[in-house]
Amino acid sequence: MNTGVKITAFAAALAATFGTAYGVGKGVGPVDEPKKAEHAGHAAQDPQKTPGHEGHEEGAPASAAALPGGLQVSQDGYTLALETPTPAVGRSTLKFSIKDATGRKVTAFTTEHGKELHFIVASRDLNTFRHLHPVKAADGTWSVDADLPTAGGYKAFADFKPAAPGAGGVTLGADLSVPGAYAPKPLPAVAPTATVDGYQVRLAGVLDPGKAGELKLTVTKGGKPVTDLEPYLGAYGHLVALRDGDLAYLHVHPNEGGPGPDVSFTAEAPSAGTYRLFLDFQHEGKVRTASFTVKAGATGKAAAEPAGAATHDAGGHTHG
């Protein structure tokens, strides 16, 4: 066998054994470049859909489309631009804007759940949570007062849908840093109830990775069921879940139901791990937040820890 025949035979053997992995015989490079995902992270925002599985076969490699919300400061041509990235400890004014691909501030948004934009601030240790309602100026600058009680790292989330034709919902995340001495607190332990302002909230249900399940929260006060919860953001409750470690953001709203004592959500964890759940509910004219620590993918059960320290920032409820 001459040299040319030997090379041809060797190449054929390589193609037979490694053709798929290395692209031999396909006229491609060593590894196919992954396709850029469009509208990354939005499957996790829809409780009726499996996060990150739209247009993907079961077992396919994770891509940007599989990412939950809030992990990127820029997405789909929009950027969360913080104008006050280092606020002081205590009460201060936060300012930010949403910029489009040209760098211009976006001024037109679609109203969803009663607001053009939902703004969340949480500490990196997940012991502080603020659901704020900023006010938009004519030039597209948003501002809101917030109470950040300790120094350390925080993350701000902007959840919105631009009014541009064909635009989908976007959840962006950006870091805040509050200067000063910082001592992170441990996560509260897992337990099924939380207490806030004399209200008891019990969590039941399953938070499983890759599988939608029902989370039911029951509100009582003084041992009696609260059956007259008031609408808040167009529903009787508002739930945000943040993954410990990277603060991946899962944002769901309740299923159909009456004004209490039960508020039901369909939720799905993007992965196994520890999550913090924050339930906003309104009663007697005031919004309160019950918070829970939940393990997903460990026992298959959702349970929570009382966490009265994660109070709701009433000053952030500016309605315009």
Side-chain angles (χ1 to χ4, degrees):
M1 183 181 293
N2 61 34
T3 303
V5 173
K6 289 180 180 179
I7 292 174
T8 302
F10 181 66
L14 278 178
T17 305
F18 301 108
T20 301
Y22 289 94
V24 176
K26 293 184 179 180
V28 296
V31 180
D32 291 339
E33 288 292 326
K35 295 180 179 179
K36 292 183 179 179
E38 297 180 1
H39 304 295
H42 286 286
Q45 306 305 312
D46 188 343
Q48 304 302 323
K49 298 180 181 179
T50 301
H53 287 78
E54 295 183 17
H56 292 271
E57 295 181 1
E58 189 70 23
S63 67
L67 292 176
L71 294 180
Q72 302 178 95
V73 70
S74 295
Q75 179 186 316
D76 297 344
Y78 296 96
T79 298
L80 171 56
L82 298 178
E83 298 183 14
T84 51
T86 56
V89 172
R91 201 163 193 85
S92 59
T93 299
L94 304 180
K95 293 186 178 182
F96 65 94
S97 62
I98 305 299
K99 294 185 177 180
D100 62 18
T102 69
R104 295 180 179 178
K105 294 181 179 181
V106 178
T107 58
F109 298 84
T110 300
T111 299
E112 293 192 310
H113 305 296
K115 296 291 178 181
E116 288 187 309
L117 182 145
H118 297 269
F119 193 62
I120 304 290
V121 176
S123 61
R124 281 282 176 181
D125 64 10
L126 291 175
N127 278 274
T128 297
F129 174 86
R130 301 287 186 255
H131 185 170
L132 306 168
H133 300 306
V135 175
K136 183 185 65 178
D139 69 347
T141 299
W142 296 83
S143 60
V144 65
D145 288 342
D147 181 15
L148 304 180
T150 61
Y154 290 78
K155 192 165 187 179
F157 301 90
D159 187 3
F160 61 93
K161 183 178 181 181
V170 182
T171 302
L172 302 177
D175 288 336
L176 287 169
S177 181
V178 178
Y182 173 53
K185 297 179 182 178
L187 283 178
V190 173
T193 59
T195 300
V196 55
D197 290 347
Y199 293 81
Q200 294 77 40
V201 183
R202 175 170 289 273
L203 171 63
V206 173
L207 187 61
D208 278 338
K211 183 179 179 181
E214 182 186 24
L215 297 177
K216 185 173 73 172
L217 296 109
T218 303
V219 183
T220 61
K221 186 177 184 182
K224 298 181 180 179
V226 177
T227 58
D228 57 345
L229 292 174
E230 298 159 359
Y232 172 65
L233 300 177
Y236 290 110
H238 184 279
L239 184 68
V240 171
L242 299 175
R243 183 169 60 190
D244 183 35
D246 61 1
L247 273 65
Y249 179 99
L250 177 62
H251 185 183
V252 295
H253 281 266
N255 301 322
E256 293 294 330
D262 297 333
V263 183
S264 171
F265 300 83
T266 299
E268 180 177 345
S271 71
T274 303
Y275 292 78
R276 287 282 280 165
L277 271 58
F278 301 94
L279 173 71
D280 290 336
F281 64 94
Q282 182 167 303
H283 188 238
E284 296 180 348
K286 183 178 179 180
V287 177
R288 297 167 176 87
T289 301
S291 52
F292 304 83
T293 300
V294 173
K295 297 283 188 180
T299 64
K301 295 181 180 180
E305 160 76 6
T311 56
H312 202 283
D313 186 2
H317 289 274
T318 304
H319 299 275

